[in-house]
């Protein structure tokens, strides 16, 4: 049984566009105190990544830290997701922020632009020496390497996973989709029994449709950016993907009411057996309150050109230049990464781990869904940067921004053609990207 978590989990993205204009002022701010506790400790700020017991357990890990001689101890503080970016921005500007923190997935790249991030090369070197470097799953560390150094270190994978209700597929007498044509076929059959063949939502606070449209573009070898990192929404693969999405809409495979579904509404569709297939976090059964033996992980789809890729987000731990001791920050982060296994052993984290050794623990492998996701999804996971691999601050503006939300809503309501929708999306992004 997966642990449930708050709706905002990897949210480093939402709201960033709104405050991005104010962020440059951080570099010019001075004064304040250092990023150490009143007792001379390294301040570690952490987000609510699961049930309340998660933060209690993480705090105990920090309290148990016994640094080597010369390094500082660490203190722990939970930072709520509500207005979290403003909390970090204000604290960093006044030099009262953390020395080390978790946070939004692209947060480190935004603060790097302000000159506030301490690169993690020392941590990576230490991981190479203690053997943990080779424990990273393939592809999870590279996106954080910039030409100046490692901007952050990944610790958890937030994968977008395809789920299906076995009983509903049996009732409709259709196989689980393996590619786009079979998705359309299955969706039509499910529609005949009054069920959505591709459940999603785009109501207040629900970004499922945002992720769905981008996931389909990525699954077709497309993406928002070119391999060189330039905005490139009008490429043929994107057009083809959105045309297929519009075909799903026109055939009733996507519920016309989905545009107004909040997260609770969308999960209710799964619980009421009104959704049979869809894209969600890696813990849908626990979140929706449905039977785990009937709500199963589907294999990734194969695109029309043979592409097979899925959308993922890489949650990370970042360090800040405003620290009482960079050596102490490095040493603490090396320790904390080594202790992450304790959180998964207690099943307090619904994210996927970045370390192979944790994926092999019995507490993780006793869930067959976990095993399938690690085996089939992680190797083909791509971030919002696709078709590039490097992460950057522009991705914070993309995710959760109005341009993406409006694009997703336009697509799942079938209001316009693919090229028109993409053109409007590109124009919207160009107006906010630097």
């Amino acid at each position: 049984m997966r642990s449930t978590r708050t709706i905002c989990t990897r949210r480093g993205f939402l709201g960033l566009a709104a405050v991005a204009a104010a962020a440059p002022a951080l570099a010019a701010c001075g004064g304040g105190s250092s990023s150490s506790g009143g007792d001379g400790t390294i301040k570690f700020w952490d987000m609510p990544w699961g049930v309340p017991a998660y933060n209690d357990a993480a705090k105990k890990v920090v309290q148990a830290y016994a640094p080597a001689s010369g390094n500082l101890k660490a203190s722990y503080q939970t930072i709520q997701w509500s207005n979290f970016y403003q909390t970090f921005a204000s604290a960093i500007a006044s030099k009262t922020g953390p020395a080390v923190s978790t946070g939004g997935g692209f947060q480190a790249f935004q603060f790097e632009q302000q000159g506030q991030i301490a690169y993690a090369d020392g941590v990576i070197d230490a991981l190479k020496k203690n053997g943990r470097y080779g424990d990273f799953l393939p592809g999870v560390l590279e996106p954080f390497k910039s030409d100046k150094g490692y901007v952050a270190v990944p610790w958890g994978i937030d994968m977008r996973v395809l789920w299906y209700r076995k009983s509903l597929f049996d009732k409709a007498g259709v196989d689980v989709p393996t590619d786009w044509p079979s998705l359309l076929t299955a969706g039509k059959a499910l529609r005949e029994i009054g069920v959505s063949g591709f459940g999603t939502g785009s109501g207040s606070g629900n970004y499922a449709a945002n992720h769905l449209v981008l996931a389909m573009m990525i699954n077709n070898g497309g993406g928002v950016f070119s391999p060189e990192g330039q905005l490139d929404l009008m490429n043929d693969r994107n057009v083809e993907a959105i045309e297929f999405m519009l075909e799903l809409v026109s055939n009733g495979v996507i519920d016309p009411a989905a545009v107004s579904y909040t997260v609770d509404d969308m999960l209710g569709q799964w619980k009421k057996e009104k959704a049979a297939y869809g894209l969600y976090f890696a813990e849908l059964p626990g979140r929706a309150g449905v039977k785990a033996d009937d709500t199963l992980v589907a294999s990734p789809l194969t695109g029309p050109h043979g592409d097979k890729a899925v959308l993922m987000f890489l949650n990370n731990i970042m360090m800040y230049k405003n620290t009482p001791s960079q050596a102490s920050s490095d040493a603490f982060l090396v320790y904390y990464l080594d202790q992450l296994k304790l959180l998964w052993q207690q099943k307090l984290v619904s994210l996927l781990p970045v370390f192979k050794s944790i994926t092999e623990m019995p507490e993780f492998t006793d869930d067959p869904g976990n095993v399938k996701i690690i085996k089939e999804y992680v190797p083909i996971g791509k971030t919002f940067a696709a078709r590039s691999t490097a992460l950057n601050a522009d991705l914070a503006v993309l995710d959760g921004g109005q341009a993406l939300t409006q694009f997703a809503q336009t697509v799942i309501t079938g209001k316009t053609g693919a090229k028109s929708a993409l053109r409007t999306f590109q124009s919207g992004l160009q107006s906010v990207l630097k």
Side-chain angles (χ1 to χ4, degrees), residues 45-325:
W45 285 10
D46 195 17
M47 315 304 293
W49 292 106
V51 293
Y54 160 81
N55 289 105
D56 293 337
K59 183 177 182 178
K60 290 180 180 178
V61 169
V62 174
Q63 291 175 332
Y65 176 50
S69 177
N71 287 330
L72 298 173
K73 292 184 178 181
S75 62
Y76 184 89
Q77 183 174 345
T78 300
I79 302 297
Q80 299 301 321
W81 285 109
S82 178
N83 298 317
F84 81 97
Y85 186 81
Q86 290 87 340
T87 299
F88 275 94
S90 296
I92 291 171
S94 63
K95 296 189 182 299
T96 58
V100 184
S101 81
T102 61
F106 305 132
Q107 177 178 320
F109 294 91
Q110 285 212 315
F111 286 129
E112 182 200 24
Q113 283 190 333
Q114 317 308 320
Q116 303 290 342
I117 290 295
Y119 295 103
D121 294 58
V123 172
I124 300 303
D125 288 342
L127 295 177
K128 289 178 179 178
K129 291 179 181 178
N130 70 15
R132 294 310 301 271
Y133 180 83
D135 197 21
F136 280 109
L137 292 170
V140 301
L141 181 59
E142 290 80 357
F144 295 96
K145 187 174 184 179
S146 73
D147 57 357
K148 296 181 180 179
Y150 287 93
V151 179
V153 182
W155 75 275
I157 305 170
D158 198 1
M159 186 67 67
R160 290 300 171 269
V161 176
L162 290 167
W163 294 88
Y164 72 98
R165 291 293 296 266
K166 183 179 183 301
S167 58
L168 295 178
F169 273 85
D170 291 344
K171 183 177 180 180
V174 66
D175 293 331
V176 178
T178 57
D179 53 24
W180 290 16
S182 59
L183 172 58
L184 180 58
T185 298
K188 291 178 179 179
L190 289 161
R191 179 198 60 196
E192 295 302 314
I193 63 170
V195 175
S196 295
F198 214 157
T200 191
S202 190
S204 178
N206 189 0
Y207 302 92
N210 294 21
H211 299 162
L212 174 59
V213 293
L214 293 186
M216 292 301 290
M217 288 160 51
I218 290 171
N219 185 237
N220 196 36
V224 175
F225 301 96
S226 70
E228 295 74 33
Q230 302 300 311
L231 197 61
D232 182 31
L233 278 163
M234 299 306 299
N235 67 75
D236 292 344
R237 294 297 186 90
N238 287 345
V239 173
E240 185 176 31
I242 300 308
E243 286 177 342
F244 177 70
M245 289 291 297
L246 293 172
E247 186 175 7
L248 294 178
V249 172
S250 67
N251 281 279
V253 177
I254 293 177
D255 187 346
V259 69
S260 64
Y261 284 166
T262 63
V263 172
D264 288 341
D265 294 333
M266 187 176 66
L267 292 175
Q269 293 292 297
W270 285 94
K271 189 173 182 65
K272 293 182 291 188
E273 299 188 352
K274 291 296 183 180
Y277 187 83
L279 192 74
Y280 200 67
F281 300 118
E283 77 284 3
L284 177 61
R287 285 290 304 277
V290 295
K291 293 181 179 179
D293 60 355
D294 186 46
T295 307
L296 306 172
V297 176
S299 293
L301 294 171
T302 300
H305 303 279
D307 299 278
K308 187 175 284 190
V310 295
L311 177 63
M312 70 175 181
F313 301 91
L314 295 172
N315 291 303
N316 54 86
I317 302 178
M318 63 209 81
M319 299 186 295
Y320 304 86
K321 288 183 177 179
N322 186 39
T323 174
S325 166

